[in-house]
Amino acid sequence: MGALGWLRGLFRARPQAKTAHAAPASLADRSAAARARFWEALGPTSDRILSSAPAGSRWPGGHEAYRLIHRGSAILLATDGLSDPLDDASATNGFEVELFIEGAGEGAASQVAGDGWMLEVLRRVAAIVAEERGILAPLERHGPIPLELTNVSASAAIAARMPSYFLTADDVLGVLIGGPEPDFATWIEDMPLSTVRVVPVVLLTAAELGEIRAGDSETRDAVTAALAAAGSGHCCDLQRESIV
């Protein structure tokens, strides 16, 4: 072959390898990724997501899960799926809300997250929110919502750690959903379908719950403001004194 033919061979078009295109991520996967980015901005997250999906789960995607985040010496547990789309034809991200509870770390993460009182409280509140098909509308209309968790002595995790002054005589543990506000942004803006609000679950002492029971929305707002002013804010401190 002459020099000219050799050069032509070098530059002759060669068949191009076909590029494999990954299937587009599902709405559920994109939602999970957006939630992961949100929590990872607050602190290291556990590689293991605590999850359970009992038959008949009322969570939007039928999948109940919880994420563990470390914030300094504190531990934060968050629901991971209340904002999953109901299906591929959904126009919104599920209930457009995720719940979280934050408290002091109490030893090994698996112990605190796997069978501790924080996860038990969060699970109970999440079950009620899922049963009601969300809580965003009443939160936006009325502000923080007091909730009573009944028969709490039946929970070994709660009974083992909860000081007696947090529990009422009728075996109720009170929580406040949505207040006080945390010290970080409370909206996940980059969800694929709609913005999702991140909502704190805060413990109430029996006296604080009694005050709310006997009062009205102004009483609830006063308790919320007092908790914020006391310094613990949205964090659940089992050692704190009651504000009333």
Side-chain angles (χ1 to χ4, degrees):
M1 177 184 296
L4 184 59
W6 180 79
L7 284 173
R8 285 174 178 165
L10 276 181
F11 291 102
R12 184 176 295 131
R14 288 173 169 77
Q16 297 294 316
K18 293 184 179 180
T19 303
H21 294 285
S26 68
L27 288 174
D29 288 342
R30 290 163 59 195
S31 299
R35 290 193 300 266
R37 288 192 297 270
F38 177 86
W39 294 119
E40 286 165 359
L42 296 182
T45 62
S46 173
D47 291 335
R48 184 169 64 94
I49 293 180
L50 308 159
S51 63
S52 60
S57 172
R58 292 186 176 272
W59 288 45
H63 178 65
E64 178 184 348
Y66 302 86
R67 184 177 292 273
L68 170 64
I69 300 97
H70 298 272
R71 296 191 74 209
S73 60
I75 283 178
L76 186 152
L77 292 175
T79 58
D80 196 58
L82 290 174
S83 62
D84 275 341
L86 289 165
D87 52 49
D88 288 337
S90 294
T92 61
N93 268 94
F95 303 147
E96 299 183 292
V97 68
E98 295 289 347
L99 308 172
F100 75 90
I101 186 169
E102 183 172 0
E106 301 174 357
S110 59
Q111 177 186 0
V112 175
D115 59 3
W117 65 268
M118 289 174 61
L119 183 58
E120 176 68 11
V121 169
L122 188 60
R123 274 181 167 156
R124 288 191 177 212
V125 175
I128 294 170
V129 170
E131 182 73 25
E132 294 296 322
R133 311 300 291 169
I135 198 172
L136 189 58
L139 272 176
E140 293 180 340
R141 189 179 305 117
H142 304 295
I145 296 173
L147 186 67
E148 300 187 12
L149 307 181
T150 60
N151 195 29
V152 287
S153 62
S155 165
I158 292 177
R161 292 291 296 121
M162 199 65 57
S164 59
Y165 67 93
F166 277 88
L167 307 178
T168 67
D170 53 344
D171 201 19
V172 166
L173 174 64
V175 299
L176 199 58
I177 305 176
E181 285 290 309
D183 55 347
F184 53 83
T186 55
W187 294 93
I188 307 178
E189 303 281 357
D190 59 344
M191 296 294 277
L193 296 174
S194 58
T195 302
V196 169
R197 182 174 173 182
V198 173
V199 179
V201 174
V202 181
L203 294 185
L204 296 170
T205 66
E208 292 159 0
L209 178 59
E211 189 87 352
I212 291 173
R213 279 175 167 178
D216 53 18
S217 61
E218 291 186 1
T219 308
R220 176 211 60 201
D221 292 344
V223 169
T224 304
L227 285 171
S232 56
H234 73 281
C235 292
C236 297
D237 181 1
L238 298 187
Q239 310 304 318
R240 74 171 177 86
E241 296 181 357
S242 183
I243 60 169
V244 298

